[in-house]
Amino acid sequence: MLSSQFFIGYSVTLSLPSFSSYSFSQQDLLLSTFFFLFILYISLFLLNLNHKGSGIFCGFFFFVGLFGFPLICVWVLLVIRLIHLWVLFHSIFNGLFQSSHAMSSGPATAGGTGLPGAYGSASGQLNPGYSSGPGSTEFEAVSRPQDESTESNSALHLSASSLHIGVADGAGHIGSEDDSATASFPPTTSASDLHSVDSSDVAKESGASSQSLPSQVTTERLGTGISEPSLTTRDALDRYQIVAQKLEALLNNDGKDAEAQVVIAEVPEIILRCISRDEAALAVAQKVFKGLYENGSNNIHIGAHLAILTAIRDVCKLVVKELSSWVIYSDEERKFNKDITIGLIRSELLNLDEYNVHMAKLIDGGRNKTATEFAISLLQTLVVEESKVISELHNLVDALAKVAQKPGSPESLQQLVEIVKNPAGSAAALSSVNFGKEDKAPGYSTASREDYNNAESVEPDPAGFLEQVSMLFADWYRRCELPGANDAAFTNYILQLHQSGLLEGDDMTDRFFRLLTELSVTHCLSSEVINSGTLQLSQVQNLSFLAVDIYAKLVFSILKGSNKVLLSKILAVTVTFIQKDAEEKKAFFNPRPYSRLFINWLQDLGSLEPIVDGANFQVLAMFANAFHALQPLRVPSFSFAWLELVSHQHFMPKMLTANGQKGWPFIQRLLVDLFQFMEPFLRSAELGIPVHFLYKGTLRVLLVLLHDFPEFLCDYHFTFCGVIPPSCIQMRNIILSAFPRNTRVPDPSIPNLQIDLLPESSQSPRILSEVDAALKAKQMKADVDEYLKTRQPGSFLTELKQKLLLPPSDAAAAGTCYNVPLINSLVLYVGMQAIQQLQPKTVPLAMCLVGAALDIFQTLIGDLDTEGRYLFLNAVANQLRYPSTHTLYFSLILLYLFAESNQEIIQEQITRVLLERLIVNRPHPWGHLINFIELIKNRRYKFWNRAFLRCAPEIEKLFESVSRRCGAQNLWMKHGF
């Protein structure tokens, strides 16, 4: 009995590891020791029970079992602790020696089939071990300071089955099964091949068990992510210097765009980890700006640095202002570099208002020859490449126009000025002027500027490529459908695509994603039922979206954790495919597969990270550009799906809640696209069934915006009202009814309410639209400013009506002979200038009874015909919104014009403009209610004495209903109605 129990304990002892082994952690040793002592204690206790007769023998074992167990435990703990400390000091000493040796001799490289830079455990610490020799097949560990660790989502992740790691006191240790990791790759794959893979395009596995291997592109990005800002500005500059060196080496070695994208994406990540982000962003931007001009003749160098500045701008809005100052106040060599200046303009990194004024002064009437020649060359290029920004350089154009009028000016300058001022009528002259379109510098921006027209390759696909893509897609489908499929299987598949050269961002990548889109859409539409006898398309409601969902999952797996390098290219391919499909199929085009595809992408990519401090905003901006390219005017058959995508919960709310309201211009542009498409139908009141449904959907989107984002509608009301036809009253009322959440709006039916005494009436509303854009386009802004200041020239008022008319060729298309955007711009701009001049005054009537602004308004309402007067009054009524200086001023202007007019037709039109906005369904703008109630209640205006109130019984009943609702029924009955 004794021998059997003794051998049981001995066998347990033999199974324990040696204390000198590095393969087990301290916790393993403790557990094994306690287990052994526990078994020994139980054995002794049983022996004591079996030998009760032997007192000395049993007493001895009982004494050992009772008091020896704690003593032995304490002794074992001390020994283990001493051994652990010895191993720890030994490792630190070797690690320091390894680091100093690496710094003196350069970066270590792996010999044989080893891979450099193995990561530590999930805690972020590095493995203190090192490789045994150059021929070792184990992983080498590169020791680096812990504070250099950044986001590790760009590293290549391996499954736990291919890399076994033990955890010892937070330090990762690579066990004896390292060979399994190297053996999991194909035999022909070497370490250099693995390094050439763009590791940022591979999906990141979650969990502490997954370990990372850094790629050659991201050797500095070790460790795990830092959630709290921890870097100083000096640290950011040092890290950017490392990134710049890597990017320069990559560009000198003709690196691929996808690899450069990965390096560039590290710059905003560094800034986002800084304690003072704005300070760090400006410091890094200044360093990039200096490097931009170091190799100004290299287009690739310029494009890369512009991409870095664009990425910095997305996380710091102050960069554009500082960049403009640096350009303006730099030396002539930098200031007159046309390629870089055009790149800054194209990337929207230059404040064109400041630059426009500076350049107009700099040419000094043509006396500064260098500046004049540069300005001419700049405009020549912009007319061809970026014609949309010409209107923002009006001062520069005017200055060059004056130079062109001087004797001896070149004929090409005169032609250039004529083309810039009349782009529509000078198409023929454009080709005759000798300035061709220059090659654009290849950029690395995350999304092109609305350019989705060149995504499709003109050459046919290589032979057998379709079959290859079909087999790859079928393989992906099988992996997704396998039970127990995990991220490791998906990661290996993505790695195969990288090794096949299909994700390099070149023409082959375009073909690959185009064929995948075609295969998935074709499979989805195969369940369609087409009744060829009646030539009508009846769609089965339960279409199979399996292939579309699988394709969306593949794209998401490729893009997950890769800084979304390929997303812009994938979206460009998809947009081009949709445009081509819609053009070919026309009425038989089915948008449902594409809608499903976009929704999947929005849901998956939008769930990766929150929209904070620029994170993930570039992804949404790419989608916004894609939706703009698919706007209803370009692809009418995609309109319903387009509206659903634009208003989707994973797109519009996230864009509107993005940090710093950076997403507002994108949503504003998309809504303008929608209004421009619907404008001809709404203007002619020809709403067929499809357009009627689209109109109802648009109203619902506006109501959601009115409820959730009223400030957005407030700030862009001028732009929206400019593209909505005057006859579309209900839609315009929704926009004008919005008011900021922090604004107190009193009940307009309160007796004796005086809006001029409200505190809000002294505050000007924020308007993000460019109010004077139409004035600049028609070269009228300077004349308006001059007249408001000096009331000169005297012919300004007499020529004003003629300037507001459209050319006969444009009048037919617009449906009116008046330039409606120009009227809206003139009215609001003049009113804003008058408010700025009269705001210090305390008497409200003084705002209306004096000033050049009132002369302009009186001239307009007196000289214009019925149509023009109606458009002018609509422009005034569009400013009657929530309590503000604008509402107060334009309300007094409207009431003054009503009271002082000696023509009843003018008073009737003023009444019509106000009344037609109040007889429609709610909501009603607060300013309209206030103005109309004041008009019918104040005896000064003698409203109820007007003859047009009695022109028809229907009109009398209408005013009776309105007076009842406005609390003026007594006045109605008093005047005999």
Side-chain angles (χ1 to χ4, degrees):
M1 186 70 181
L2 175 61
S3 60
S4 61
Q5 293 169 350
F6 177 78
F7 282 115
I8 291 176
Y10 185 70
S11 63
V12 174
T13 306
L14 291 179
S15 66
L16 293 176
S18 172
F19 285 158
S20 61
S21 174
Y22 298 121
S23 300
F24 292 91
S25 65
Q26 181 181 3
Q27 288 83 353
D28 296 330
L29 293 172
L30 286 175
L31 290 176
S32 301
T33 304
F34 276 112
F35 181 74
F36 161 70
L37 294 175
F38 178 77
I39 295 298
L40 180 61
Y41 177 80
I42 294 299
S43 302
L44 295 175
F45 182 78
L46 293 177
L47 287 173
N48 185 46
L49 292 179
N50 292 333
H51 296 79
K52 291 182 179 180
S54 178
I56 298 176
F57 182 82
C58 296
F60 172 77
F61 279 102
F62 180 79
F63 178 84
V64 173
L66 182 62
F67 299 102
F69 176 75
L71 295 176
I72 294 175
C73 291
V74 172
W75 177 80
V76 170
L77 285 175
L78 291 175
V79 173
I80 291 175
R81 189 61 180 171
L82 290 174
I83 295 175
H84 174 69
L85 291 175
W86 180 83
V87 173
L88 182 61
F89 287 133
H90 182 72
S91 302
I92 293 175
F93 176 79
N94 283 309
L96 293 174
F97 177 79
Q98 189 88 347
S99 300
S100 61
H101 178 72
M103 293 176 60
S104 61
S105 61
T109 58
T113 58
L115 297 178
Y119 274 61
S121 67
S123 64
Q125 296 179 351
L126 298 176
N127 180 21
Y130 52 92
S131 62
S132 57
S136 174
T137 59
E138 296 181 354
F139 293 98
E140 287 188 79
V142 180
S143 178
R144 295 184 185 273
Q146 190 173 358
D147 63 346
E148 289 186 9
S149 61
T150 60
E151 298 291 340
S152 62
N153 57 356
S154 65
L156 178 63
H157 289 258
L158 299 178
S159 63
S161 61
S162 63
L163 186 62
H164 294 259
I165 293 184
V167 180
D169 248 5
H173 184 80
I174 299 175
S176 60
E177 297 183 15
D178 291 342
D179 293 337
S180 63
T182 56
S184 62
F185 294 98
T188 57
T189 304
S190 63
S192 59
D193 295 330
L194 289 177
H195 286 174
S196 64
V197 176
D198 183 9
S199 61
S200 64
D201 290 336
V202 182
K204 180 175 67 175
E205 292 182 18
S206 60
S209 62
S210 62
Q211 304 300 319
S212 306
L213 297 177
S215 66
Q216 189 175 4
V217 179
T218 55
T219 54
E220 297 297 329
R221 305 173 66 188
L222 299 178
T224 57
I226 303 299
S227 59
E228 294 291 333
S230 58
L231 299 180
T232 63
T233 302
R234 181 70 261 174
D235 296 335
L237 291 174
D238 294 340
R239 291 171 184 269
Y240 166 73
Q241 191 64 32
I242 298 175
V243 173
Q245 293 174 359
K246 291 193 295 183
L247 181 61
E248 194 68 26
L250 192 63
L251 297 180
N252 293 336
N253 296 329
D254 297 329
K256 299 174 182 178
D257 290 359
E259 297 175 344
Q261 284 274 20
V262 175
V263 179
I264 292 173
E266 295 181 25
V267 179
E269 293 177 5
I270 293 173
I271 296 174
L272 290 175
R273 297 181 56 236
C274 291
I275 300 175
S276 179
R277 294 182 180 176
D278 290 343
E279 179 183 350
L282 294 178
V284 174
Q286 188 174 20
K287 206 171 188 64
V288 179
F289 179 78
K290 292 180 179 178
L292 181 64
Y293 293 90
E294 291 178 357
N295 194 2
S297 60
N298 189 336
N299 287 339
I300 298 179
H301 175 89
I302 296 175
H305 281 73
L306 288 176
I308 296 176
L309 290 174
T310 303
I312 298 175
R313 178 203 61 193
D314 291 337
V315 298
C316 178
K317 58 185 179 181
L318 301 176
V319 170
V320 174
K321 180 180 179 181
E322 295 299 324
L323 276 174
S324 304
S325 301
W326 297 338
V327 173
I328 290 174
Y329 298 107
S330 60
D331 54 17
E332 290 188 357
E333 182 179 359
R334 294 184 176 182
K335 186 183 300 183
F336 298 150
N337 190 314
K338 187 181 71 172
D339 293 337
I340 294 180
T341 303
I342 292 176
L344 292 171
I345 295 175
R346 183 182 296 122
S347 303
E348 300 179 1
L349 295 170
L350 205 59
N351 189 327
L352 291 181
D353 290 337
E354 298 179 9
Y355 187 75
N356 171 47
V357 175
H358 173 74
M359 288 302 302
K361 295 180 180 179
L362 189 63
I363 63 176
D364 194 18
R367 287 183 285 272
N368 189 337
K369 300 297 183 182
T370 306
T372 304
E373 293 175 358
F374 170 77
I376 294 173
S377 177
L378 179 67
L379 280 184
Q380 288 176 345
T381 307
L382 291 177
V383 165
V384 178
E385 297 186 6
E386 300 289 334
S387 58
K388 294 182 179 180
V389 304
I390 294 295
S391 61
E392 303 182 52
L393 300 175
H394 53 92
N395 289 347
L396 179 59
V397 174
D398 292 341
L400 289 178
K402 294 179 181 179
V403 175
Q405 294 174 359
K406 294 182 178 181
S409 62
E411 184 179 357
S412 60
L413 176 59
Q414 300 175 5
Q415 294 180 0
L416 175 62
V417 173
E418 183 65 22
I419 292 172
V420 171
K421 290 188 174 182
N422 302 289
S426 305
L430 184 64
S431 59
S432 62
V433 181
N434 187 19
F435 54 90
K437 182 176 180 179
E438 300 180 359
D439 295 333
K440 295 183 179 181
Y444 297 100
S445 58
T446 56
S448 61
R449 186 170 177 148
E450 308 173 8
D451 188 11
Y452 286 88
N453 299 324
N454 301 322
E456 186 175 6
S457 176
V458 295
E459 298 180 359
D461 296 328
F465 188 66
L466 176 60
E467 291 75 12
Q468 178 187 359
V469 175
S470 301
M471 293 177 61
L472 289 172
F473 194 38
D475 184 21
W476 173 254
Y477 168 75
R478 286 191 296 268
R479 290 173 183 259
C480 294
E481 293 299 316
L482 283 176
N486 52 20
D487 289 345
F490 300 154
T491 302
N492 292 333
Y493 180 85
I494 304 302
L495 182 60
Q496 293 178 11
L497 295 181
H498 277 286
Q499 294 174 347
S500 301
L502 297 176
L503 302 179
E504 300 299 329
D506 52 5
D507 180 66
M508 194 61 67
T509 303
D510 293 347
R511 299 175 188 272
F512 176 65
F513 286 107
R514 175 174 54 82
L515 291 178
L516 286 177
T517 305
E518 182 178 355
L519 290 173
S520 59
V521 172
T522 302
H523 180 274
C524 178
L525 296 179
S526 62
S527 58
E528 251 181 353
V529 178
I530 301 178
N531 189 347
S532 58
T534 58
L535 295 179
Q536 292 182 352
L537 180 65
S538 61
Q539 295 182 346
V540 179
Q541 295 300 319
N542 55 348
L543 288 178
S544 175
F545 294 105
L546 177 62
V548 174
D549 295 340
I550 291 296
Y551 172 49
K553 186 175 182 179
L554 173 60
V555 172
F556 173 67
S557 300
I558 293 174
L559 299 176
K560 183 172 60 174
S562 65
N563 297 313
K564 294 78 183 175
V565 175
L566 294 176
L567 180 57
S568 60
K569 184 170 289 291
I570 295 173
L571 290 176
V573 171
T574 307
V575 167
T576 305
F577 190 85
I578 293 174
Q579 292 173 343
K580 181 180 179 181
D581 193 22
E583 180 65 24
E584 292 177 351
K585 295 183 179 179
K586 299 188 182 300
F588 295 97
F589 172 74
N590 190 341
R592 295 174 65 192
Y594 307 107
S595 176
R596 176 79 168 223
L597 184 61
F598 275 113
I599 289 176
N600 283 336
W601 286 342
L602 286 173
Q603 291 176 344
D604 294 338
L605 295 175
S607 63
L608 285 180
E609 47 198 7
I611 312 298
V612 177
D613 296 334
N616 206 26
F617 174 74
Q618 292 183 356
V619 173
L620 295 176
M622 293 179 197
F623 278 102
N625 291 330
F627 295 155
H628 178 64
L630 293 172
Q631 60 178 287
L633 278 176
R634 299 181 182 177
V635 191
S637 53
F638 195 66
S639 299
F640 290 100
W642 183 89
L643 181 58
E644 179 185 8
L645 293 172
V646 168
S647 59
H648 198 272
Q649 61 178 343
H650 289 283
F651 178 70
M652 179 176 285
K654 292 185 177 181
M655 288 291 284
L656 293 176
T657 55
N659 186 38
Q661 300 175 350
K662 293 187 296 184
W664 285 25
F666 292 93
I667 300 298
Q668 177 256 343
R669 183 178 65 173
L670 293 174
L671 288 179
V672 170
D673 293 339
L674 178 61
F675 295 148
Q676 288 177 343
F677 172 73
M678 299 183 61
E679 193 271 339
F681 304 101
L682 298 176
R683 172 164 37 92
S684 59
E686 296 179 357
L687 298 183
I689 296 178
V691 180
H692 180 70
F693 277 107
L694 191 63
Y695 174 75
K696 291 177 62 177
T698 304
L699 289 182
R700 292 179 179 179
V701 172
L702 290 177
L703 287 173
V704 171
L705 291 174
L706 177 64
H707 182 272
D708 294 342
F709 304 98
E711 293 84 1
F712 171 73
L713 295 179
C714 292
D715 295 350
Y716 286 107
H717 88 284
F718 179 78
T719 301
F720 296 148
C721 291
V723 294
I724 296 176
S727 59
C728 196
I729 300 170
Q730 180 72 59
M731 183 180 293
R732 190 169 56 247
N733 267 7
I734 296 176
I735 296 173
L736 297 179
S737 298
F739 58 88
R741 303 174 193 270
N742 59 354
T743 300
R744 184 179 66 90
V745 180
D747 186 356
S749 61
I750 296 177
N752 302 322
L753 177 64
Q754 297 181 348
I755 63 173
D756 56 328
L757 300 180
L758 296 175
E760 291 80 6
S761 296
S762 62
Q763 301 174 1
S764 297
R766 187 177 69 164
I767 299 178
L768 297 181
S769 306
E770 191 177 1
V771 176
D772 56 354
L775 293 174
K776 294 177 181 177
K778 288 297 181 180
Q779 308 297 322
M780 285 181 57
K781 186 176 182 298
D783 296 336
V784 173
D785 291 336
E786 184 68 21
Y787 184 82
L788 290 175
K789 293 178 181 178
T790 64
R791 296 197 178 185
Q792 296 295 330
S795 60
F796 174 78
L797 295 179
T798 58
E799 299 174 355
L800 187 57
K801 176 183 177 181
Q802 188 63 31
K803 292 181 178 180
L804 299 179
L805 296 175
L806 286 174
S809 57
D810 298 336
T816 177
C817 61
Y818 287 95
N819 190 334
V820 180
L822 184 59
I823 294 176
N824 294 335
S825 179
L826 176 65
V827 169
L828 182 54
Y829 181 76
V830 170
M832 292 172 62
Q833 297 302 312
I835 292 172
Q836 291 181 2
Q837 296 175 6
L838 301 175
Q839 203 165 12
K841 298 186 178 181
T842 58
V843 182
L845 290 179
M847 301 173 65
C848 300
L849 300 179
V850 296
L854 182 62
D855 296 342
I856 295 177
F857 293 148
Q858 287 181 317
T859 300
L860 290 175
I861 202 168
D863 293 352
L864 295 177
D865 57 11
T866 304
E867 180 187 6
R869 191 183 302 116
Y870 177 74
L871 296 173
F872 162 71
L873 292 175
N874 265 295
V876 175
N878 287 343
Q879 313 312 320
L880 303 179
R881 302 186 290 154
Y882 56 91
S884 64
T885 56
H886 289 193
T887 299
L888 175 62
Y889 176 79
F890 285 103
S891 176
L892 294 175
I893 285 291
L894 207 58
L895 293 174
Y896 178 83
L897 294 176
F898 185 92
E900 299 299 324
S901 175
N902 54 8
Q903 301 181 35
E904 193 168 84
I905 182 63
I906 296 178
Q907 298 165 343
E908 181 180 351
Q909 280 196 292
I910 293 176
T911 304
R912 174 198 170 183
V913 169
L914 292 175
L915 187 63
E916 68 184 4
R917 300 182 181 220
L918 300 178
I919 61 177
V920 297
N921 294 328
R922 295 180 179 179
H924 300 138
W926 182 85
H928 294 163
L929 289 169
I930 287 291
N931 214 67
F932 190 74
I933 291 174
E934 176 68 16
L935 184 64
I936 65 178
K937 282 188 174 184
N938 196 328
R939 300 179 185 275
R940 175 176 179 268
Y941 304 111
K942 302 177 182 180
F943 179 78
W944 300 107
N945 297 333
R946 307 300 174 183
F948 59 83
L949 299 180
R950 303 178 178 86
C951 62
E954 295 81 7
I955 299 297
E956 294 183 14
K957 293 181 179 179
L958 176 63
F959 277 99
E960 179 184 5
S961 173
V962 173
S963 63
R964 187 184 303 110
R965 294 169 57 185
C966 297
Q969 188 175 7
N970 294 333
L971 294 174
W972 170 270
M973 297 177 63
K974 182 177 180 179
H975 288 83
F977 287 93

